[in-house]
Amino acid sequence: MRVYLDNNATSIVDPHVFEAMEPFFVKKYGNPSSLHQFASDTHKPLKEAMQKIYAGINAKSEDSVVITSCATESNNWVLKSIYFEYILTGRKNHIIVSEVEHPSIIATAKFLESKGCKVTYLPINSEGIVEAHTVRDFITDKTALVSIMWVNNETGAIFPIEEIGEICAAKGVLFHTDAVQAIGKLPVNVQKANIDYLTMSAHKFHGPKGVGALYMKKGKELTPLLHGGSQMNGFRSGTLNVAGIVGMGKAMEQAIDALDFEMSEVKELRDRLEDALLEIPDTFVVTPRAKRAANTILISFRGIEGEAMLWDLNRANIAASTGSACASEDLESNPVMEAIGAEADLAHTAIRFSLSRYTTGEEIDYTIEVVKNAVDRLRAISSSYAYAPEGHESKL
Ligand code: PLP
């Protein structure tokens, strides 16, 4: 059996999405900007796909949803454009992000810091959540932007986006959320949450890789990052990724249809896995289930290096993760575990299991068996577990 429990890194393309995309490779391959039939073949499918994306996040028709190449681009665009418009011009000098944002926010914020922008990295609490009052505490009259993710990719922790949106609106500060891990996992409504900018990525909700989007509220449109053409109403130049956009639209439609299933059946499987793993002694989960997206578990097994566990899982054909996909090749400890202040030996032991609507009960039962065997094997040879002092208390 092969088991894929790394859906927060990327997800399988839904067969309906694949089917919807197929004609745009070898049949309807015209450039939408050209002036012939091959081009016009793409216009209606593109329009319908965009409507599905707008509907999926409850964007108004006068708002802008701009297709990008990935969430990394969307996140870079927001921060760099705010820098150009507000910081470089001297109108403001400060942005706020959380310390557990995806590297596409953190690294961009650090780059802007090197160019003179002040950045506040908000802490998370012991449950791995950014508390809304910290946003209020750090906003000054020089704050241009608050950028807080909706759902954390490591823990699945859901951040209080509606409250933060309200605070930003009341203070007159622009609000961006990276909703990459929220789409298809919980209801996302840009109106209800007072969101000015929202980042999405198709491959996290069973769409194709290489297609992202940025929502911009009417009146809050950003300066383009890519100049050179009139595509996407002039907000992003470059020939449209027709198949990708059609795929993203279909994936959004499917994700919205499957939302109840995700929040009930997928959650049930996640809970089954979690209950069984927590029966293992010296095992810890940071964020309470009720405050987490339904598909994610970040769990620590004291005394077992995350990479050693991954090795055993991989040998049994189970895919999981020790950190964000981009960082998983270096042996750094989990960034969220570090931010919580977990003891060093626990920060290295975190494993993320992320399920999807394609995960089955048999796969979960198999995973439970493999993990239990791996824990027995690895703890038997773990010097740090064997030598842990009697009654050693965890900070978690
Ligand atoms: N933001 C979050 C929260 C993510 O989890 C990821 C991917 O792991 C990204 C952004 C980057 O997404 P993309 O691969 O589309 O650039």
Side-chain angles (χ1 to χ4, degrees):
M1 189 185 287
R2 290 182 85 211
V3 182
Y4 187 75
L5 297 177
D6 198 14
N7 287 280
N8 287 10
T10 196
S11 59
I12 184 174
V13 172
D14 182 308
H16 294 108
V17 170
F18 186 58
E19 201 185 323
M21 293 172 68
E22 227 180 338
F24 299 94
F25 291 100
V26 290
K27 289 192 194 123
K28 303 181 181 183
Y29 52 83
N31 184 331
S33 305
S34 303
L35 297 173
H36 45 61
Q37 189 62 44
F38 287 82
S40 32
D41 281 351
T42 66
H43 291 170
K44 189 161 171 271
L46 280 173
K47 192 170 171 207
E48 286 171 358
M50 292 306 295
Q51 280 166 349
K52 287 172 188 164
I53 300 171
Y54 272 72
I57 57 169
N58 196 29
K60 293 184 179 164
S61 56
E62 62 265 33
D63 298 333
S64 299
V65 174
V66 178
I67 300 297
T68 60
S69 63
C70 56
T72 298
E73 180 188 330
S74 303
N75 285 345
N76 267 262
W77 183 9
V78 176
L79 266 63
K80 287 175 180 167
S81 191
I82 293 293
Y83 174 77
F84 285 135
E85 291 291 324
Y86 292 87
I87 317 283
L88 207 54
T89 55
R91 289 156 73 192
K92 308 267 176 176
N93 69 2
H94 178 222
I95 61 171
I96 297 176
V97 302
S98 86
E99 61 179 343
V100 292
E101 295 297 309
H102 186 265
S104 54
I105 291 286
I106 298 286
T108 309
K110 288 203 185 301
F111 170 71
L112 297 184
E113 229 177 341
S114 76
K115 301 283 171 210
C117 177
K118 286 194 180 144
V119 182
T120 300
Y121 299 89
L122 290 182
I124 48 174
N125 65 17
S126 59
E127 294 183 336
I129 291 171
V130 171
E131 292 177 8
H133 73 85
T134 60
V135 176
R136 189 186 291 112
D137 295 347
F138 282 97
I139 288 179
T140 72
D141 57 358
K142 286 288 191 186
T143 308
L145 177 78
V146 169
S147 176
I148 305 288
M149 67 203 324
W150 200 312
V151 171
N152 182 264
N153 44 304
E154 302 294 339
T155 55
I158 302 169
F159 292 174
I161 290 307
E162 284 183 24
E163 255 181 280
I164 296 172
E166 224 171 89
I167 291 168
C168 292
K171 297 256 186 192
V173 174
L174 294 169
F175 177 40
H176 167 243
T177 185
D178 174 347
V180 163
Q181 301 289 349
I183 306 275
K185 316 252 175 71
L186 42 88
V188 168
N189 182 333
V190 287
Q191 312 302 334
K192 207 167 156 212
N194 275 308
I195 288 164
D196 296 312
Y197 309 109
L198 178 140
T199 290
M200 307 169 244
S201 183
H203 73 104
K204 307 285 185 173
F205 54 95
H206 304 293
K209 295 170 185 57
V211 200
L214 182 69
Y215 160 85
M216 299 188 283
K217 192 188 204 131
K218 181 179 162 48
K220 308 283 175 74
E221 294 85 358
L222 295 169
T223 314
L225 199 59
L226 305 187
H227 295 89
S230 60
Q231 293 87 352
M232 287 280 142
N233 292 326
F235 287 123
R236 186 187 184 272
S237 302
T239 302
L240 296 185
N241 175 0
V242 180
I245 297 170
V246 169
M248 188 174 195
K250 188 70 186 168
M252 179 66 93
E253 183 182 63
Q254 300 279 115
I256 300 303
D257 285 351
L259 201 51
D260 286 343
F261 183 86
E262 185 84 24
M263 293 169 77
S264 54
E265 316 287 312
V266 175
K267 180 177 181 303
E268 211 175 293
L269 285 182
R270 191 275 309 268
D271 290 351
R272 183 153 122 206
L273 176 59
E274 190 166 332
D275 286 340
L277 298 186
L278 285 173
E279 280 172 9
I280 303 170
D282 284 333
T283 306
F284 309 92
V285 170
V286 169
T287 308
R289 284 178 208 188
K291 297 181 181 175
R292 239 188 292 148
N295 78 320
T296 307
I297 310 174
L298 182 72
I299 188 162
S300 291
F301 302 96
R302 186 184 290 285
I304 300 176
E305 284 285 331
E307 283 72 21
M309 173 62 84
L310 273 197
W311 174 267
D312 273 29
L313 292 179
N314 194 38
R315 272 198 328 185
N317 291 320
I318 298 172
S321 154
T322 51
S324 67
C326 359
S328 58
E329 277 174 17
D330 44 46
L331 296 184
E332 285 172 9
S333 58
N334 185 284
V336 178
M337 297 293 283
E338 273 189 356
I340 290 164
E343 300 160 39
D345 62 333
L346 271 185
H348 283 274
T349 64
I351 295 278
R352 181 185 70 189
F353 296 99
S354 45
L355 288 66
S356 82
R357 59 181 189 258
Y358 291 92
T359 308
T360 65
E362 293 74 49
E363 291 174 348
I364 292 301
D365 292 339
Y366 173 67
T367 303
I368 292 168
E369 190 190 316
V370 170
V371 173
K372 285 188 168 171
N373 289 337
V375 169
D376 286 346
R377 190 186 86 78
L378 293 167
R379 279 195 177 152
I381 56 170
S382 160
S383 54
S384 67
Y385 192 70
Y387 294 127
E390 215 37 47
H392 186 64
E393 287 285 311
S394 158
K395 264 197 205 167
L396 292 170

